Amino acid sequence: MVVFYIFLITFVASGLGAVIPPSNTSHFDGQINLERIVCGRVWITVHTLEVRQSTNTILDAIELNWDYTGCISAWRQIALFDFQPGATSWHDALVKNDTIMQTGRFVTNVPLGDVNLPGGWQNGQGTRGTHCLWPWIGGGATNVEIINCLKIQPTWMQDNADLINNLRLGELALPGTHNAGSWRFNSPISDAARDLFVLCQDRSIWSQLVHGIRYLDFRASYYNTYPNEDDRYWLNHNFVRVRPLVPLLREIRQFLDSTRELVILHFHQFPVGFEENNVLNRNVHAGLLRIIERELGPHIARAHDFPWTAGSRGPVLSSFINANRRLIVPYNQDRIVSENNWLFPQLPHLWANTNNVDELFRYLDNQLQTQNPRPTSRNPMHSAMAQTTLTATDIALFRSSIRQAANDVNHRVTWRLLNQWRRTSNIIASDFFLGNDVIDMSIIVSRERGLQKVEMADTNDETI
């Protein structure tokens, strides 16, 4: 019964609202002041589309988001601050907006700007815990009653180890990035049309991990025109070359060296160079595996050391942490996996392959209601790809773009993870991840599942 009340209090405090006690610092450790629990939730995202003004164009406008569903009365105001607001800070807000609907978002004309990652995490290891960037959001009526910030959470798994370490891989809720390496072209020369239809992220691999992303979707390609083998391996978006692979692997290595976090590095596609005349090129795959082992070897969790049965939810998180093997490498080529038993087999990839937002969510709702993991799945995890797919006609007619598609999808992904997908999701991978709140929601849901597991264990002990 005590566990139940702990669960209830934590659920209300962290699940429905990031209610942060006032302080004079940009850092907080995630602890909730329970005396300030109020109904509702507010959060900040970064608008994916350009905001055009008379004198300039903003590509990173700050969005204010709120959800007061189930509250007795909706609050009257939402506001953006450049400091952590107190109860009477309305007059110091950069932007204020009346909140009429119970849920909504408001796009400001204030850019996020070129900000350093706080807490010492800009280029290397910083301090543990959650750290706020400069934008803060406040909501309330007469007073500011609930606040939140745009944040980085580089050590969220370690910070919540007491609750989530006994969860199995398939029980965790993990935030991911689709086409994680398609974030900026290696060449300084950029073409607007190419950017619109190729780039899926706007933050580096290092920044993605520091913000809290724990699943990276990589599409590796091979170009034999380079004399040095390291230079031949790139990350692509389909057939378009975006960034060389090895520097990105070193960013992952630096992050793993700096933390106690688990990372899933999924080699999901091999668009160019891994086949020759439609025949698998084992030498090209072997070269890629040599590079992965050379750059990341000390952190790789070798699948043969962490056994599980098909259709199960896999090993518990603590087994990877205790072994200090915190990098899982699923590989979407069955023959190569069968010849290299340190690789994890491909994981079910829930991909709707549609350019229609409603069809996307109907597909994912249906897939995430079915049995997970799949009884025949060789990997205990599954990834829901929360993005639409542009057609050739969309691209040819400039009918949409990846940014436009992400803008149409991302706010609905946050709501889905809070509601329909709360019990069944595992990995949610999105484009332009700062356009949603999947990182915060994944942490909340993982904590919630960990508490439920503790409660069930205590109930079973009492029964025995």
Side-chain angles (χ1 to χ4, degrees), residues 261-282:
E261 302 293 286
L262 180 84
V263 174
I264 299 160
L265 175 57
H266 186 193
F267 282 87
H268 172 61
Q269 286 184 359
F270 308 94
V272 176
F274 282 79
E275 289 185 355
E276 192 170 346
N277 298 322
N278 294 321
V279 176
L280 185 73
N281 192 325
R282 282 183 165 80

Side-chain angles (χ1 to χ4, degrees), residues 356-417:
N356 183 283
V357 176
D358 291 332
E359 286 182 11
L360 167 70
F361 285 103
R362 279 195 296 269
Y363 170 83
L364 291 178
D365 287 349
N366 179 65
Q367 290 294 311
L368 292 175
Q369 286 173 0
T370 59
Q371 184 177 0
N372 286 302
R374 274 52 174 173
T376 58
S377 174
R378 295 169 54 222
N379 193 303
M381 299 173 287
H382 59 86
S383 58
M385 308 311 290
Q387 60 281 149
T388 52
T389 303
L390 301 181
T391 67
T393 305
D394 292 332
I395 296 171
L397 299 180
F398 279 75
R399 197 160 58 189
S400 186
S401 68
I402 295 175
R403 283 187 174 274
Q404 178 65 64
N407 182 68
D408 295 340
V409 167
N410 269 338
H411 67 284
R412 292 176 64 172
V413 172
T414 303
W415 191 89
R416 276 305 203 284
L417 190 50

Side-chain angles (χ1 to χ4, degrees), residues 293-304:
E293 289 200 89
R294 183 194 73 204
E295 297 295 334
L296 299 168
H299 295 292
I300 293 174
R302 300 179 180 274
H304 58 76

Side-chain angles (χ1 to χ4, degrees), residues 165-187:
N165 267 9
N166 285 330
L167 292 176
R168 299 185 178 276
L169 290 179
E171 295 172 329
L172 289 162
L174 297 173
T177 43
H178 164 248
N179 251 323
S182 296
W183 69 272
R184 180 185 294 169
F185 285 100
N186 192 55
S187 167

Side-chain angles (χ1 to χ4, degrees), residues 133-144:
L133 282 74
W134 73 263
W136 286 79
I137 182 173
T142 304
N143 292 328
V144 177

Side-chain angles (χ1 to χ4, degrees), residues 15 141 181 223 330:
Y223 299 91

